[in-house]
Amino acid sequence: MKVNKGEYELKVILAGDLLQVNNNQAEDNSSILKAHKILGINIIGSPGAGKTLLLERTIERLKGDAKVGVIEGDIATARDAMRIGAHGVPVIQLNTEGMCHLDARIVGRALSEMPLSDIDILFIENVGNLVCPALFHLGEDFKVAVFSVTEGSDKPHKYPQIFREARVVLINKVDLIDYTDFDLNACKSELLEINSSLNIFTLSAKTGEGINPWVEWLKGIMG
Amino acid sequence: MHELSLIQELLQMIMESARIHNIRRVHHVRLVVGEWYGALPCALRFAFEALTRHTICCGAVLEIASLPIRYKCRECEGEFEFMDNCPICASRDIYISQGRELYIDYYEGE
């Protein structure tokens, strides 16, 4: 930091990263999760991609293998938290009141209310949005991007940030693929062009098709 | 919409710094934003105006320097504007060399 004192006017050169405050809080969250040996997963996708149903299916299949906790992020309502709560796992609903993404601060508050010593995997379902959530780290171990075949196979190139940041991509609603012009192979190679280390799973939360490979992968990660 | 959060962070950093330097009025803020962040200058200005009311930054000029995304090739060091592969040597080993900046360059006050 450099301060040049003029007669009245001060010029302060900051060069401080704007996301620094969020990133610091994200690191605090990350330490809390690590101290409790919790795997933190940030789920990001557009509204209607099927994030909540996917989460429900995943919770069902993890039963007996891992204790799950969920933080639900929505602009308004507690509908998603009620759906998740019906599966008997601890869930906290965050309402962002118009904000288009979760930030590390609000997630930090939710963490303080969670029964952390009784959780192996914490899913944080972000606000439905493919753009802004990619910028705000929450302290998770990795991000999962969810999008569905009805959204079109051009999404990776149109919204590259999230696919660069994610470790996993779940392509949902594959049961509907015959009703769309979604090109699965082209989409997968586009995804890998953007981020060659992506793990891609094609599935349908509705029919259950393809859910097992994803859940098995998750179990493998937990060790 | 994330413009609002970005400006909130900006104000927090400036207030903190202004307190340390005993600055009571901020006249000018220069913000550098890479295209990667998809932040619209008009939305940043709107958020700045809305959030600075009743603060020491009220009425300050927000100067925004937008930096477009540029890619660079690791093999031939060529610089270009689109992704996929290097237009000079066709290598796929490319990275973003510009456009991921997001910081307050400086601010002025008294």
Side-chain angles (χ1 to χ4, degrees):
Chain A
M1 192 185 296
K2 199 171 113 193
V3 182
N4 305 321
K5 263 194 183 168
E7 209 157 351
Y8 303 106
E9 189 91 347
L10 262 180
K11 179 170 183 173
V12 182
I13 298 174
L14 270 182
D17 194 301
L18 273 195
L19 291 171
Q20 199 183 313
V21 177
N22 185 73
N23 288 342
N24 292 347
Q25 173 75 53
E27 267 174 42
D28 292 349
N29 293 350
S30 171
S31 323
I32 293 171
L33 292 178
K34 283 201 169 65
H36 290 87
K37 295 193 173 65
I38 296 173
L39 182 72
I41 302 176
N42 182 359
I43 303 177
I44 298 172
S46 39
K51 295 182 293 302
T52 311
L53 190 58
L54 248 168
L55 200 45
E56 292 185 78
R57 294 287 173 270
T58 305
I59 292 168
E60 283 165 10
R61 282 179 169 71
L62 282 172
K63 243 174 209 156
D65 291 302
K67 284 174 282 181
V68 174
V70 177
I71 295 175
E72 272 293 337
D74 279 295
I75 288 180
T77 81
R79 289 182 186 197
D80 283 356
M82 284 160 85
R83 280 170 63 183
I84 298 294
H87 294 269
V89 300
V91 56
I92 285 184
Q93 176 78 52
L94 297 174
N95 279 155
T96 59
E97 304 285 346
M99 219 161 60
C100 54
H101 58 268
L102 293 178
D103 63 28
R105 222 167 332 194
I106 189 170
V107 168
R109 276 205 51 204
L111 284 182
S112 66
E113 313 257 334
M114 273 275 173
L116 294 174
S117 38
D118 212 27
I119 293 174
D120 301 317
I121 301 188
L122 177 72
F123 292 104
I124 306 167
E125 186 184 332
N126 221 305
V127 179
N129 181 345
L130 219 44
V131 187
C132 315
L135 307 184
F136 294 84
H137 299 300
L138 307 176
E140 72 274 356
D141 288 278
F142 58 88
K143 296 181 177 66
V144 173
V146 181
F147 79 109
S148 56
V149 300
T150 50
E151 290 167 62
S153 40
D154 57 353
K155 289 298 161 292
H157 267 326
K158 285 173 90 170
Y159 302 92
Q161 280 110 319
I162 176 58
F163 298 104
R164 284 204 188 97
E165 297 275 347
R167 179 155 168 201
V168 178
V169 173
L170 304 179
I171 304 177
N172 193 18
K173 306 190 189 178
V174 74
D175 54 313
L176 298 178
I177 199 160
D178 291 342
Y179 302 99
T180 69
D181 52 8
F182 194 95
D183 187 337
L184 198 54
N185 287 329
C187 183
K188 280 185 185 169
S189 50
E190 269 189 23
L191 281 169
L192 292 172
E193 253 172 42
I194 291 171
N195 178 354
S196 56
S197 57
L198 274 177
N199 296 280
I200 306 170
F201 297 93
T202 310
L203 42 78
S204 164
K206 185 122 193 167
T207 66
E209 175 188 351
I211 297 274
N212 276 342
W214 145 245
V215 175
E216 289 309 313
W217 181 88
L218 252 186
K219 288 182 194 167
I221 285 277
M222 293 175 60
Chain B
M1 270 302 283
H2 58 292
E3 287 87 351
L4 204 62
S5 315
L6 296 180
I7 294 296
Q8 230 155 12
E9 303 285 340
L10 173 142
L11 285 178
Q12 209 170 327
M13 290 179 74
I14 290 181
M15 302 286 208
E16 177 69 19
S17 165
R19 198 180 49 78
I20 292 167
H21 297 297
N22 205 19
I23 291 172
R24 288 185 200 88
R25 195 99 218 141
V26 173
H27 303 303
H28 190 112
V29 178
R30 186 172 194 270
L31 175 65
V32 179
V33 189
E35 194 191 344
W36 167 271
Y37 290 100
L40 292 172
C42 60
L44 288 170
R45 281 183 211 292
F46 174 77
F48 186 77
E49 255 175 56
L51 293 174
T52 50
R53 269 176 218 158
H54 313 299
T55 73
I56 58 164
C57 294
C58 184
V61 174
L62 177 66
E63 179 190 343
I64 300 169
S66 304
L67 296 178
I69 295 182
R70 303 273 297 168
Y71 295 85
K72 214 166 177 179
C73 174
R74 276 202 183 87
E75 309 238 328
C76 74
E77 301 261 294
E79 227 186 347
F80 44 95
E81 272 165 11
F82 50 90
M83 39 200 299
D84 289 352
N85 52 16
C86 172
I88 302 156
C89 72
S91 164
R92 285 193 169 249
D93 194 5
I94 62 173
Y95 66 97
I96 293 180
S97 57
Q98 179 187 291
R100 295 196 74 160
E101 300 79 2
L102 183 63
Y103 61 90
I104 306 163
D105 187 9
Y106 64 80
Y107 69 91
E108 289 171 336
E110 62 187 284

